[in-house]
Amino acid sequence: MNIGVIADDFTGATDIAGFLVTNGIRTIQTTGIPDERFEAEAEAYVLSLKSRSCPADEAIRLSLEALHWLRDKGCEQIFFKYCSTFDSTAKGNIGPVTDALLDEMGEEFTILCPALPVNGRTLYRGYLFVGNQLLSESGMQHHPVTPMRDSNIARLMEQQSRGKAGNIYVEVLDKGPSALKRELLSLKEKGIRYAVMDTLNQEHLDTIGAAVADFPLVTGGSGLAAGIARSLHKEGEKRSAEKAGRPKKGATVIIAGSCSKATNRQVARYREKAPSQFIDALRCRTDAGYLDELYAWTTAAIEDGATPLLYATKQASELEKPAYASQDVGRAIEELFGKLASRLLGAGVKNFIVAGGETAGKVVQSLGLSAFFIGPQIDPGVPWVRAVGQDLYLALKSGNFGNDDFFVKAQEFFI
């Protein structure tokens, strides 16, 4: 069975692609929706869109185009992938896109499973936790684009969708796939449109994966994909990420646009070890020479043998100040990072480590990349990837992912 993944941002796409490859599924990831001439042999196609925070009608259009492309490739199961912190606004885009996919496929029921226990994202009694904190108390309530101020997934979904959500609790999951399938059927017969899955550990993900392996449409985070993959492949059939290979030692730059707690810690740790440059939001919008200045600083640091860090990362308290209140600030920083990455590629940079989904999307677009082979995982959910047809490697990290020493650890994979 071929799996077709519609991912709502670029780091989320590499996240799920990495878990699929690790668990035995030959996978290729594309940037956007390829044209009909695209050919690459795979068991899973992961289409990375930029649809998490765009207007809902645009997210629906892109997702339906992706659905049609994947079905033309023979994908029997469609996986709508969103963040393990259920990043969305009161109006979407998770609900509107899920409804549009259900309608287009002629289906009436699916599951919601954002959990990723290996990274501390769990669901209990329908509430999403980040580590030991409720989602709404984890720092995500301060997200500048998709602030998450509620932790109840059923309630969040119903606010942005057309159907009713129901919960399936751990007691059912602990009984195994058959009991779970019966409960899913019962919810469907009661008119429930979305089943929210409690998930506390990998065993729960494996149970869910086995129960929904034949569902035409599933939605969730990368952990669910790992569970589905394990239900399709025996342990002895797992394949490594040899096709992508490991990145080569050479000119490398780190770009951090996320303001998550994890990225704040990673930036602070790395600044103790290497040259770093903070990105001034005001100069992004008003200083025509700022890009040239940053380019000169970065190339000089690389020539000195360093792997420099450019970061727009700030603490949550800073984001509440008027200077950072507008989404235009974020877009200006992303545009600057994209233009800088393009110039650095021309200067011979071959490895890019990027933190933040929106930032990664802009960097990938600016580099003109269309598809990737998936390589080894640096931390859970963050693999190195190699651009198809180029000797160019990227680590595209969701803002919330990775250990504190992630930027150093990523460079330990160089050969």
Side-chain angles (χ1 to χ4, degrees):
M1 181 180 73
N2 286 344
I3 300 172
V5 179
I6 301 169
D8 68 357
D9 82 342
F10 288 90
T11 56
T14 55
D15 171 17
I16 193 170
F19 275 102
L20 287 168
V21 167
T22 299
N23 290 281
I25 306 291
R26 290 196 307 272
T27 304
I28 194 161
Q29 176 187 339
T30 72
T31 304
I33 305 166
D35 64 32
E36 64 277 2
R37 296 169 295 177
F38 180 87
E39 291 293 338
E41 184 180 349
E43 294 171 311
Y45 299 92
V46 179
L47 305 192
S48 40
L49 308 182
K50 205 170 188 293
S51 59
R52 177 171 298 174
S53 55
C54 66
D57 56 352
E58 182 181 350
I60 290 170
R61 177 183 61 80
L62 289 171
S63 300
L64 291 180
E65 289 179 11
L67 169 65
H68 297 153
W69 190 92
L70 291 167
R71 290 179 120 182
D72 286 344
K73 285 292 181 183
C75 294
E76 299 168 64
Q77 183 177 71
I78 301 300
F79 192 126
F80 172 36
K81 197 277 177 191
Y82 39 78
C83 188
S84 59
T85 46
F86 209 73
D87 293 26
S88 55
T89 66
K91 296 183 179 180
N93 291 335
I94 295 174
V97 169
T98 300
D99 282 338
L101 293 172
L102 284 168
D103 291 347
E104 187 71 10
M105 297 174 68
E107 298 293 326
E108 299 177 346
F109 181 77
T110 189
I111 68 167
L112 306 177
C113 185
L116 184 58
V118 71
N119 276 351
R121 279 67 168 166
T122 56
L123 266 95
Y124 183 68
R125 287 298 187 262
Y127 286 84
L128 181 56
F129 287 80
V130 177
N132 294 322
Q133 295 177 306
L134 286 165
L135 172 67
S136 55
E137 300 173 3
S138 67
M140 281 299 297
Q141 70 270 33
H142 302 300
H143 194 289
V145 179
T146 54
M148 302 304 296
R149 300 188 176 99
D150 192 354
S151 306
N152 186 294
I153 298 302
R155 190 160 55 222
L156 286 167
M157 188 64 173
E158 289 182 353
Q159 289 171 355
Q160 57 180 271
S161 65
R162 299 197 314 266
K164 296 292 292 181
N167 291 293
I168 293 183
Y169 296 140
V170 290
E171 290 83 358
V172 175
L173 291 164
D174 289 339
K175 295 177 182 177
S178 296
L180 175 55
K181 290 198 79 165
R182 289 193 296 271
E183 184 66 19
L184 289 169
L185 178 59
S186 175
L187 287 183
K188 182 179 178 181
E189 290 174 344
K190 293 175 183 176
I192 296 296
R193 190 167 169 88
Y194 329 100
V196 179
M197 313 300 300
D198 268 13
T199 314
L200 297 180
N201 50 48
Q202 187 59 59
E203 289 73 20
H204 287 157
L205 286 173
D206 290 344
T207 295
I208 298 167
V212 304
D214 59 351
F215 272 38
L217 174 69
V218 295
T219 86
S222 56
L224 173 60
I228 292 173
R230 275 191 283 272
S231 76
L232 299 175
H233 285 273
K234 295 178 182 178
E235 187 74 22
E237 296 174 332
K238 288 184 179 179
R239 306 173 182 91
S240 66
E242 293 295 326
K243 190 165 189 177
R246 296 165 72 97
K248 299 175 183 177
K249 186 177 294 185
T252 304
V253 67
I254 302 171
I255 294 172
S258 170
C259 292
S260 71
K261 288 183 177 180
T263 301
N264 266 287
R265 293 193 300 269
Q266 291 154 0
V267 166
R269 178 72 64 88
Y270 193 74
R271 289 183 63 204
E272 299 172 354
K273 303 175 180 295
S276 62
Q277 185 71 251
F278 177 68
I279 303 302
D280 187 312
L282 179 61
R283 295 187 67 188
C284 283
R285 292 177 289 173
T286 61
D287 189 341
Y290 193 35
L291 176 62
D292 292 335
E293 179 183 319
L294 292 173
Y295 174 78
W297 178 87
T298 306
T299 52
I302 292 172
E303 288 173 3
D304 287 341
T307 297
L309 163 69
L310 298 108
Y311 67 101
T313 304
K314 296 187 76 66
Q315 297 289 340
S317 58
E318 293 291 314
L319 297 176
E320 297 174 356
K321 294 182 178 180
Y324 290 90
S326 170
Q327 291 189 17
D328 292 339
V329 175
R331 294 191 187 99
I333 293 173
E334 289 171 20
E335 289 292 334
L336 178 94
F337 277 145
K339 291 175 182 177
L340 180 61
S342 180
R343 288 187 63 176
L344 291 171
L345 176 65
V349 174
K350 294 297 184 182
N351 303 314
F352 290 86
I353 302 170
V354 187
E358 298 296 321
T359 304
K362 178 55 69 174
V363 167
V364 167
Q365 288 178 338
S366 299
L367 294 176
L369 306 179
S370 60
F372 305 96
F373 295 115
I374 310 302
Q377 292 212 52
I378 304 162
D379 275 332
V382 195
W384 274 104
V385 301
R386 176 169 64 84
V388 172
Q390 298 186 51
D391 190 23
L392 176 63
Y393 291 81
L394 301 97
L396 306 173
K397 186 191 81 70
S398 171
N400 291 304
F401 281 12
N403 294 320
D404 291 356
D405 63 347
F406 177 85
F407 295 141
V408 172
K409 187 176 179 182
Q411 297 173 63
E412 294 173 354
F413 282 75
F414 293 163
I415 57 173

